Amino acid sequence: NVTFRGGYAKTRPSFERIPLATSDAATAMLVAKFQGSGYYEESNTVAHMIVVAGGKVYKLTPPASGINWTVADITGSVTVSATRERVHMIQADEYLIIQDGTNSPYIYSDPASGSWPQPADDELNRVPVGTGPMAYGNGRLWVAQGRNFVAGDILGGTEGILKFTENTHLNGGGS
């Protein structure tokens, strides 16, 4: 229970309950089974908390003024398993990828409409179903599949970071 912010060891700050604005989405999120949460920063530098509860994905936005955070259901037509105990999520460039270990990954990128840019045309080379944590580093998305990891294509490449066509070229190929 120690933090080193500012260069010195001190007792970490206490947790605070976030006050939520009253809405149907906030009520539904609070009564549903909590499955995971993470941080998501949109391209315009607006930061959000993302919460998965009861198989639905919620975006919590900090208040511009006042103290109440707003809650929006951004699930859309793609859902996450409501029966999984834990989901894994990571932000890779502009995308938020959420894995439940059984279904195709939930991918969110457009804050206005909630788009899912999962390439449906190429089943073999898209973001695979992951069963554990993911990482995003050095321009690549890494997905755990049991005891193995697979690497996505490099940021700035011809295919984009949501494709997995280069994995066979990484140090011997495979996972």
Side-chain angles (χ1 to χ4, degrees), residues 9-99:
K10 57 186 171 199
T11 304
R12 70 160 177 78
S14 62
F15 291 110
E16 294 182 28
R17 203 173 269 277
I18 297 174
L20 302 176
T22 304
S23 68
D24 291 341
T27 302
M29 181 189 74
L30 291 173
V31 298
K33 173 184 174 181
F34 176 81
Q35 295 172 279
S37 67
Y39 174 83
Y40 176 68
E41 187 173 327
E42 293 175 357
S43 58
N44 60 1
T45 68
V46 175
H48 302 278
M49 284 296 298
I50 303 296
V51 173
V52 177
K56 294 194 173 202
V57 182
Y58 300 94
K59 179 170 71 172
L60 283 66
T61 305
S65 63
I67 60 169
N68 291 336
W69 289 51
T70 58
V71 179
D73 183 343
I74 60 169
T75 306
S77 62
V78 179
T79 58
V80 180
S81 172
T83 60
R84 301 297 290 192
E85 290 295 319
R86 182 177 182 187
V87 298
H88 299 278
M89 64 180 76
I90 190 82
Q91 181 169 356
D93 195 36
E94 68 194 78
Y95 305 107
L96 174 70
I97 299 105
I98 301 174
Q99 298 269 12

Side-chain angles (χ1 to χ4, degrees), residues 65-151:
S65 63
I67 60 169
N68 291 336
W69 289 51
T70 58
V71 179
D73 183 343
I74 60 169
T75 306
S77 62
V78 179
T79 58
V80 180
S81 172
T83 60
R84 301 297 290 192
E85 290 295 319
R86 182 177 182 187
V87 298
H88 299 278
M89 64 180 76
I90 190 82
Q91 181 169 356
D93 195 36
E94 68 194 78
Y95 305 107
L96 174 70
I97 299 105
I98 301 174
Q99 298 269 12
D100 63 14
T102 55
N103 299 313
S104 292
Y106 173 96
I107 300 175
Y108 175 79
S109 71
D110 183 8
S113 64
S115 66
W116 297 270
Q118 179 74 299
D121 59 330
D122 188 358
E123 293 286 327
L124 297 176
N125 294 321
R126 65 184 191 172
V127 178
V129 174
T131 58
M134 296 174 288
Y136 178 69
N138 296 325
R140 287 192 193 275
L141 173 64
W142 295 82
V143 177
Q145 294 180 312
R147 295 178 60 143
N148 298 314
F149 283 89
V150 291

